[in-house]
């Protein structure tokens, strides 16, 4: 599958190894991390470079804003490029999803931060739009559950956005 087709796809890939595109991304990111560590006078070889990860916590909108604030402070301190992996649970994944809408978010963090803050401090999603999303899920998914209702209602309330993902049922 081409990179553009993969980017448009919302299917989940299940495998025992990283996708080729992710392997290439990690290799490029490792180079960025290595250069950043060298600038900070943290001496290591490329083969013995530490794998630095940042894990965001859960806790709804508070976790979303908390991770965003942590990333902004790391950027201001010149440490953002030392991070190889970014991961999170619950509310912090809402932040990550918002960041990842901009492919070069780490180089445009201030702009992305401002967009997220503007959205969070603006009006919420209209209930009609949230219900329309639920209806779409109901007709697209093989299994529709209370989790889907919770996801749409809670996320639209806290994140103030209706995601535009669709479900494709692989045959």
């Amino acid at each position: 599958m081409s990179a553009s087709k993969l980017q448009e796809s919302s299917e989940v890939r299940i495998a025992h190894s990283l996708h080729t595109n992710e392997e290439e991304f990690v290799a490029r990111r490792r180079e960025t991390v290595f250069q950043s560590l060298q600038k900070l006078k943290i001496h290591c070889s490329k083969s013995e470079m530490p794998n630095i990860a940042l894990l965001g916590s859960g806790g709804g909108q508070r976790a979303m804003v908390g991770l965003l604030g942590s990333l902004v402070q790391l950027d201001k301190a010149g440490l953002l490029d030392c991070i190889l992996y970014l991961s999170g649970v619950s509310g912090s994944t809402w932040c990550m999803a918002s960041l990842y809408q901009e492919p070069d978010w780490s180089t445009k963090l201030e702009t992305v931060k401002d967009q997220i803050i503007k959205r969070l401090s603006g009006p919420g999603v209209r209930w009609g739009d949230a219900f329309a999303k639920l209806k779409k899920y109901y007709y697209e998914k093989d299994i529709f559950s209370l989790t889907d209702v919770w996801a749409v209602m809670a996320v639209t309330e806290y994140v103030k956005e209706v995601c535009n993902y669709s479900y494709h049922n692989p045959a």
Side-chain angles (χ1 to χ4, degrees):
M1 184 180 291
S2 72
S4 62
K5 285 284 187 194
L6 184 64
Q7 191 172 17
E8 293 172 7
S9 171
S10 63
E11 294 178 19
V12 175
R13 178 181 173 271
I14 299 173
H16 295 287
S17 63
L18 293 178
H19 187 277
T20 306
N21 291 355
E22 187 160 356
E23 286 177 351
E24 292 169 1
F25 173 82
V26 169
R28 287 191 310 271
R29 185 67 188 170
R30 285 183 65 77
E31 183 60 38
T32 300
V33 170
F34 180 75
Q35 295 301 325
S36 182
L37 292 172
Q38 296 303 303
K39 284 180 192 173
L40 294 168
K41 299 186 181 357
I42 299 172
H43 302 290
C44 59
S45 66
K46 287 184 181 182
S47 63
E48 295 182 4
M49 187 179 73
N51 291 321
I52 301 170
L54 177 64
L55 173 64
S57 69
Q61 194 176 50
R62 181 179 53 218
M64 179 182 186
V65 173
L67 179 59
L68 182 60
S70 296
L71 292 169
V72 168
Q73 283 306 117
L74 285 167
D75 189 36
K76 286 179 180 177
L79 298 172
L80 185 62
D81 279 336
C82 294
I83 298 171
L84 182 60
Y85 295 104
L86 178 61
S87 185
V89 296
S90 193
S92 61
T93 63
W94 299 345
C95 175
M96 293 166 57
S98 295
L99 293 172
Y100 295 160
Q101 290 179 22
E102 171 60 53
D104 298 324
W105 68 267
S106 65
T107 60
K108 301 174 184 172
L109 187 57
E110 195 63 30
T111 302
V112 174
K113 177 199 75 160
D114 291 344
Q115 291 169 350
I116 292 171
I117 290 172
K118 182 179 178 183
R119 187 181 74 235
L120 291 177
S121 51
V125 174
R126 294 180 311 151
W127 283 105
D129 293 338
F131 284 125
K133 188 63 176 183
L134 277 173
K135 184 177 177 182
K136 185 177 179 185
Y137 281 172
Y138 178 77
Y139 289 112
E140 286 182 356
K141 293 181 71 176
D142 285 338
I143 300 171
F144 183 81
S145 70
L146 187 57
T147 302
D148 296 299
V149 175
W150 167 254
V152 169
M153 303 318 274
V155 172
T156 56
E157 179 67 25
Y158 293 120
V159 180
K160 297 186 179 182
E161 178 177 59
V162 175
C163 69
N164 293 318
Y165 305 119
S166 61
Y167 289 92
H168 299 285
N169 298 318

